[in-house]
């Protein structure tokens, strides 16, 4: 009987261990599934609005205008407040709701590689049929991008009762410039180095041609030509020679040298 009880206890203990293993496996499986679902949801939430751009609505006209307060004809200055004005016209028969406006900088010839995504605006403005509206989209370019060309793309997202649409109202290659009124020490150093190299090459060429002494003499002569020789001081003596010369016109009069009447 004692042996039989030991076998029963061992069998019960084995079953308990198996159930614990199964329960642990189920818990681990549920935890992994929850983690996978959470990662998928988080990834969907982090998905940028510019990742999947829907088709445009043919009844919508979207145009871009840059205000005249900042000159962008030769490029876009960095580290300066910029803005795009969106002109949005609804030529359709149903109202549309403008939900998002977004813009990005992308690598030329490789548009899928973006450099930066600007802040997404959420106007949520309804444009009725036959009406138009304007929107202002502000953005700013980082100073580290200066000296390079990028593709600037700005897109408006809108929807009606059944579909979602998007119209890219600006898409062009732009040059990012240095900040306006900011001293560029790096550019100055580069220019000074190039100037020193150019002067060194000129000096070496003159020395190789054997014209260095003549060049130095010409430089000294040119430098000396700018200096005026000091004017000679004219002295008027009081001796007899000077007196005779100065009193020549008194000859034949009653005046005598050394005396005055």
């Amino acid at each position: 009987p004692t042996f039989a009880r030991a076998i029963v206890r061992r069998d019960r203990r084995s079953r308990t261990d198996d159930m614990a293993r199964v329960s642990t496996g189920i818990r681990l499986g549920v935890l992994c599934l929850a983690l996978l679902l959470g990662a998928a949801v988080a990834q969907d939430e982090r998905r940028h609005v510019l990742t999947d751009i829907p088709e445009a609505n043919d009844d919508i006209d979207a145009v871009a205008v840059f205000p005249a307060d900042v000159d962008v004809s030769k490029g876009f200055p960095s580290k300066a407040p910029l803005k795009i004005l969106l002109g949005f016209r609804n030529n359709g028969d149903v109202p549309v709701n403008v939900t998002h406006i977004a813009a990005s900088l992308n690598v030329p010839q490789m548009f899928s590689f973006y450099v930066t995504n600007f802040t997404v605006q959420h106007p949520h403005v309804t444009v009725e049929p036959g009406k138009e509206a304007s929107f202002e989209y502000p953005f700013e370019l980082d100073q580290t991008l200066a000296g390079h060309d990028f593709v600037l793309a700005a897109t408006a997202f809108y929807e009606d009762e059944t579909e979602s649409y998007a119209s890219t109202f600006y898409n062009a290659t732009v040059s990012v410039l240095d900040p306006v009124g900011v001293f560029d020490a790096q550019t100055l150093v580069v220019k000074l180095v190039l100037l020193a190299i150019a002067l060194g090459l000129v000096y070496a060429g003159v020395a190789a041609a054997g014209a260095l002494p003549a060049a130095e003499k010409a430089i000294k002569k040119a430098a000396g030509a700018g200096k005026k020789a000091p004017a000679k001081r004219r002295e008027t003596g009081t001796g007899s020679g000077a007196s005779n010369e100065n009193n020549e016109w008194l000859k034949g009069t009653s005046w005598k040298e050394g005396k005055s009447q």
Side-chain angles (χ1 to χ4, degrees), residues 27-41:
R27 290 177 182 176
L28 289 175
V30 172
L31 179 61
C32 291
L33 182 61
L35 290 175
L36 290 175
L37 291 175
V41 172

Side-chain angles (χ1 to χ4, degrees), residues 6-259:
I7 294 177
V8 171
R9 290 176 181 174
R10 186 178 301 174
D11 184 59
R12 289 178 179 176
R13 189 176 300 171
S14 177
R15 290 180 181 179
T16 303
D17 292 341
D18 292 340
M19 293 180 63
R21 293 192 187 98
V22 172
S23 177
T24 302
I26 292 175
R27 290 177 182 176
L28 289 175
V30 172
L31 179 61
C32 291
L33 182 61
L35 290 175
L36 290 175
L37 291 175
V41 172
Q43 184 177 2
D44 185 68
E45 290 179 352
R46 290 195 303 266
R47 185 181 296 274
H48 198 270
V49 66
L50 294 173
T51 302
D52 297 317
I53 301 178
E55 296 293 331
N57 189 331
D58 294 335
D59 294 330
I60 301 298
D61 291 333
V63 296
V65 177
F66 291 94
D69 55 347
V70 178
D71 185 13
V72 296
S73 59
K74 296 181 180 179
F76 289 71
S78 59
K79 208 174 180 180
L82 302 172
K83 56 187 174 182
I84 306 177
L85 297 181
L86 163 63
F88 189 93
R89 180 172 179 81
N90 182 6
N91 299 313
D93 299 328
V94 295
V96 295
N97 180 26
V98 181
T99 57
H100 303 82
I101 301 176
S104 65
L105 275 184
N106 304 276
V107 179
Q109 287 83 41
M110 300 179 69
F111 190 80
S112 58
F113 291 89
Y114 71 90
V115 178
T116 182
N117 287 327
F118 300 107
T119 303
V120 179
Q121 301 291 326
H122 304 273
H124 290 286
V125 174
T126 300
V127 182
E128 299 294 334
K131 301 295 183 179
E132 58 185 23
S134 61
F135 303 90
E136 182 179 282
Y137 183 81
F139 66 100
E140 184 173 315
L141 300 172
D142 192 270
Q143 185 177 354
T144 58
L145 304 176
H148 301 280
D149 294 339
F150 300 97
V151 176
L152 175 62
T155 304
F157 295 82
Y158 49 97
E159 60 187 12
D160 56 20
E161 295 180 354
T162 58
E163 296 289 340
S164 296
Y165 307 94
S167 295
T168 299
F169 56 94
Y170 187 82
N171 186 9
T173 301
V174 299
S175 299
V176 182
L177 307 178
D178 291 320
V180 177
V182 175
F183 177 74
D184 189 359
Q186 183 177 1
T187 303
L188 177 61
V189 171
V190 171
K191 291 182 179 179
L192 291 177
V193 171
L194 293 177
L195 179 60
I197 294 174
L199 292 176
L201 292 175
V202 172
Y203 183 85
V206 172
L212 187 58
E216 291 178 350
K217 185 182 294 185
I219 293 174
K220 291 180 180 179
K221 186 176 181 180
K227 298 180 180 180
K228 293 184 178 180
K232 293 183 179 180
R233 183 178 179 183
R234 184 176 181 180
E235 297 181 356
T236 56
T238 57
S240 59
S243 178
N244 292 335
E245 182 180 354
N246 294 334
N247 299 327
E248 186 71 24
W249 63 282
L250 295 173
K251 288 182 178 182
T253 66
S254 59
W255 182 87
K256 291 183 180 181
E257 186 177 351
K259 297 180 179 181

